[in-house]
Amino acid sequence: MAVIEFINGANKTYGAMKRVIEYITNPAKTETHLVGGHNCDVNNAYHQFVLTKRHYGKETGRQYIHFTQSFAPYDKVTTEDVKEIADKLVQMEAFQGFQIAYAVHTDKDHLHTHFVVNTVNSETGLKWKQSAEQLQMLKDFSDDLCRDKGLIITEGHKGARINRGEYRTKEKGQSWKYELFLAVKESVHSATSKDEFIAYMNKFGYKVDWRDERKYISFTTPEGKKCRNRKLYPPERFTKENLLKTFEMNKQYQDKKILNDRIELLFNVLRLLPDDMNHVYGKYPLTRLEGEALNDRLNELKKGKGLEWDHQHESEL
């Protein structure tokens, strides 16, 4: 899995911007074929950043955004894979027109990519301003790119992004709303259209009322409980507009077979779980399987326990 981390700092001087670009492209930390530039020449990125700022008369304030994408030491991923993931990440719509210098670093026990973004857009002159919703979409897209390389994404409590009360209930294994959240999240990750999303939710046991004339989407749980998309946390992540954008991004950038294989594998996992409805986790199987538990179960199945698995699929997951 990969973790996106934004590095804080005032970054209000050209000197700081020059130093960070020199740092990420330092030959002692990376190699020539592992550096890249989006909307700029990475070898001349500093000067091009400055020219853009001067052209639009925006030389004050924050000069750059610095973030990293880090991979765990146990990830079976090559430097070329990490560079390819970075190349695709900067193609996101959020980065359109922004100049980005980036480089894969190999000097630590884990591979990681540094990205430096010019805060002034070279096409519009507007300054970088991303909402929490857009930053979450960046992290979600990063996860999708990792899945495309066969890396299984696991999310702990921080990744869940639920409110405190819902979190406490989830810890007891009793939250039907958190179970719904997980079903929606898994369906969104794999769907390439509204109809496909609804079909996946139906397979998880949920009814979906998504009509154009209504502002919100309504979900009905297998037990008959109802919930609108605005009640899922964070609500801005699950608006109709954001879901449709995600489906389109999945269609454009993801391998359809890999997306389908992963969610079908999850359905197989759920079918093989003991039918223990007397236990709270029997009612909420996705909650039971979340994180490492799901990871372990997937690995178990990939070894051939309980489900036939061919080498082609194994290389893709």
Side-chain angles (χ1 to χ4, degrees):
M1 62 178 296
V3 176
I4 294 286
E5 180 181 5
F6 284 83
I7 300 172
N8 294 323
N11 309 326
K12 291 185 177 180
T13 67
Y14 280 174
M17 183 171 69
K18 184 176 183 180
R19 286 192 296 273
V20 73
I21 293 175
E22 290 176 345
Y23 169 79
I24 73 164
T25 57
N26 185 341
K29 297 179 177 294
T30 186
E31 300 176 42
T32 304
H33 69 287
L34 298 178
V35 300
H38 177 64
N39 294 323
C40 68
D41 173 11
V42 67
N43 297 312
N44 198 32
Y46 167 72
H47 296 290
Q48 292 181 356
F49 280 22
V50 171
L51 286 174
T52 296
K53 294 176 187 298
R54 289 178 177 171
H55 175 72
Y56 289 105
K58 295 186 177 180
E59 299 183 68
T60 59
R62 193 170 191 179
Q63 300 297 314
Y64 64 91
I65 303 297
H66 181 194
F67 69 94
T68 60
Q69 183 184 44
S70 302
F71 296 79
Y74 55 78
D75 278 329
K76 295 181 179 179
V77 62
T78 67
T79 54
E80 288 73 20
D81 287 335
V82 175
K83 174 59 163 53
E84 184 180 341
I85 289 172
D87 291 339
K88 292 180 178 179
L89 188 67
V90 297
Q91 297 299 321
M92 278 194 69
E93 184 179 354
F95 294 129
Q96 182 176 342
F98 284 99
Q99 297 163 310
I100 308 173
Y102 56 101
V104 178
H105 280 198
T106 59
D107 59 326
K108 304 290 185 182
D109 62 349
H110 65 286
L111 295 175
H112 57 286
T113 306
H114 286 266
F115 301 82
V116 179
V117 185
N118 187 358
T119 50
V120 180
N121 191 292
S122 63
E123 295 178 357
T124 66
L126 298 177
K127 296 204 73 171
W128 172 271
K129 186 178 182 181
Q130 298 293 316
S131 65
E133 167 192 355
Q134 290 168 314
L135 295 179
Q136 184 60 46
M137 289 181 68
L138 168 62
K139 294 176 181 180
D140 290 343
F141 187 45
S142 170
D143 286 349
D144 289 339
L145 293 174
C146 291
R147 289 189 184 90
D148 197 28
K149 284 296 181 183
L151 301 176
I152 295 176
I153 308 302
T154 59
E155 292 188 77
H157 302 319
K158 290 182 179 180
R161 305 265 331 251
I162 56 178
N163 63 46
R164 185 174 298 176
E166 195 69 22
Y167 174 83
R168 286 197 298 266
T169 306
K170 181 254 180 181
E171 284 293 286
K172 299 176 184 178
Q174 300 172 354
S175 173
W176 63 267
K177 190 180 292 183
Y178 188 75
E179 182 75 5
L180 169 62
F181 163 83
L182 292 176
V184 172
K185 182 169 71 71
E186 291 293 340
S187 298
V188 170
H189 278 321
S190 295
T192 58
S193 68
K194 167 186 168 182
D195 290 342
E196 200 167 54
F197 168 75
I198 293 174
Y200 288 147
M201 288 297 294
N202 291 163
K203 290 189 73 171
F204 279 122
Y206 294 88
K207 295 179 182 178
V208 181
D209 186 357
W210 183 336
R211 304 184 217 175
D212 293 340
E213 64 270 19
R214 292 190 175 181
K215 183 176 180 179
Y216 299 111
I217 305 168
S218 294
F219 301 100
T220 304
T221 73
E223 299 83 20
K225 296 181 182 294
K226 294 184 181 294
C227 180
R228 289 182 175 178
N229 56 324
R230 67 185 179 90
K231 293 293 185 179
L232 298 177
Y233 190 85
E236 64 272 10
R237 181 179 176 185
F238 298 104
T239 63
K240 285 183 177 181
E241 293 76 13
N242 268 347
L243 292 183
L244 291 172
K245 285 180 182 179
T246 303
F247 301 154
E248 187 60 30
M249 288 175 62
N250 288 345
K251 182 186 294 186
Q252 290 184 24
Y253 297 109
Q254 302 303 308
D255 185 303
K256 176 60 180 172
K257 186 175 186 303
I258 292 177
L259 291 177
N260 184 70
D261 282 353
R262 187 187 185 283
I263 198 164
E264 287 300 328
L265 176 60
L266 179 55
F267 290 137
N268 277 318
V269 171
L270 296 177
R271 282 193 288 269
L272 292 170
L273 287 177
D275 186 17
D276 184 7
M277 296 306 291
N278 294 321
H279 190 278
V280 289
Y281 279 137
K283 294 169 62 178
Y284 308 125
L286 290 172
T287 302
R288 174 183 177 181
L289 288 172
E290 188 187 14
E292 289 301 324
L294 177 56
N295 198 357
D296 292 343
R297 189 68 178 179
L298 291 173
N299 287 332
E300 178 182 313
L301 288 180
K302 285 164 64 177
K303 293 176 183 175
K305 297 180 180 179
L307 181 69
E308 292 185 2
W309 197 256
D310 59 47
H311 294 296
Q312 180 180 359
H313 285 82
E314 186 168 357
S315 67
E316 294 174 344
L317 287 168

